[in-house]
Amino acid sequence: MLNIVIFGAPGSGKGTQSELIIKKYGLCHISTGEILREEIKDQTNLGLISKEYISQGHLVPDQLVMEKFTEILDKTSGVKGYIFDGFPRTIFQAQALDALLLERKTPVVATFSLSVEEKELIRRLLKRGTEAGRNDDNPETIKKRLEIYKERTEPIKEYYRKKGKLFKIEGNGSVEDVFEGITDAIDRLVY
Ligand code: AP5
């Protein structure tokens, strides 16, 4: 199975590239950000709790995310592989993911780390904030999201690098150029 983690800072293009990857390779897309936004829309307990964390740019607690993630993973079967988008986001989540996938004998094959300059990240998020109105895309929350990313999420790169599974992708270019970088890397892995 082709299990891929798409990794990067807020605004690095994880969601955009995931959509293109699933179309080309027929993988199952699991985005914890999307899942949590659905929970907020449906006003579930998880949604009500998550809303507070997300609106302040903080991470939703690991235990809550893992419970929901495991439930979603258990509902999917017979897929060619997964693209994990915005997950894992802490070392705890990375270790928990490895344990879940070990049970299924289908490890993470690669982690593609999208590398984008901070001023470009901020430009993209502010633009989406005005156009699409995602309520965590405002200057204050963006600043916090970037801080939390550096503090809690970036160390995961080292976790995967040590396992020989980290692939750096140049993420500053156009959507098409970034996708070409990813497909080249996938094709080298698979063929
Ligand atoms: P999540 O939804 O994962 O948001 P994020 O990581 O902040 O990432 P974004 O969706 O903002 O950016 P992206 O990298 O996906 O880029 P995108 O393709 O959208 O998480 C939201 C919140 O939920 C978190 O802050 C946290 O609170 C919580 N959460 C989620 N997962 C969690 C977890 N596992 N544990 C705990 N809490 C969790 O692109 C961004 C914009 O840029 C778009 O407008 C796009 O059109 C544009 N764009 C993309 N690529 C390019 C390009 N190459 N050139 C120009 N523009 C581009």
Side-chain angles (χ1 to χ4, degrees):
M1 265 170 76
L2 188 58
N3 293 335
I4 292 171
V5 173
I6 185 118
F7 185 87
S12 57
K14 302 183 293 295
T16 304
Q17 295 299 327
S18 293
E19 290 300 330
L20 297 173
I21 298 169
I22 57 167
K23 262 190 215 143
K24 184 168 164 95
Y25 296 94
L27 305 179
C28 174
H29 184 198
I30 302 188
S31 156
T32 44
E34 283 299 323
I35 291 166
L36 295 170
R37 280 187 288 280
E38 277 299 307
E39 294 286 316
I40 293 173
K41 208 169 79 193
D42 296 343
Q43 301 190 335
T44 63
N45 274 343
L46 174 60
L48 293 173
I49 299 169
S50 301
K51 192 176 176 181
E52 294 303 313
Y53 289 97
I54 293 177
S55 64
Q56 291 173 33
H58 285 280
L59 296 182
V60 175
D62 283 336
Q63 214 59 49
L64 296 177
V65 172
M66 284 317 305
E67 270 171 34
K68 190 68 199 174
F69 177 84
T70 309
E71 183 192 313
I72 303 272
L73 195 67
D74 284 343
K75 276 190 197 153
T76 57
S77 63
V79 297
K80 283 164 73 181
Y82 294 95
I83 176 122
F84 301 118
D85 163 10
F87 177 90
R89 239 172 163 104
T90 61
I91 294 288
F92 178 92
Q93 291 179 17
Q95 289 168 339
L97 175 64
D98 277 350
L100 281 171
L101 295 181
L102 187 69
E103 282 171 19
R104 291 164 176 78
K105 300 188 176 63
T106 59
V108 166
V109 172
T111 296
F112 295 126
S113 171
L114 300 174
S115 171
V116 179
E117 283 173 20
E118 186 162 304
K119 69 172 192 311
E120 172 65 5
L121 297 172
I122 295 170
R123 186 195 70 78
R124 290 180 191 176
L125 295 174
L126 288 175
K127 183 165 182 274
R128 186 176 60 188
T130 53
E131 288 172 358
R134 211 174 102 174
N135 74 359
D136 56 346
D137 286 339
N138 63 74
E140 199 186 331
T141 312
I142 290 170
K143 186 166 174 274
K144 183 46 94 181
R145 284 159 69 194
L146 292 171
E147 274 170 28
I148 298 281
Y149 169 76
K150 282 183 196 144
E151 204 179 291
R152 301 202 51 205
T153 305
E154 215 167 25
I156 295 177
K157 279 205 260 186
E158 187 56 16
Y159 177 86
Y160 285 116
R161 195 192 59 76
K162 281 189 184 152
K163 292 176 184 282
K165 291 182 177 177
L166 186 74
F167 299 83
K168 187 178 165 191
I169 304 288
E170 167 53 52
N172 287 294
S174 67
V175 170
E176 294 74 21
D177 286 350
V178 178
F179 186 54
E180 203 179 309
I182 294 175
T183 53
D184 281 353
I186 294 180
D187 294 344
R188 273 200 305 273
L189 275 172
V190 174
Y191 304 110

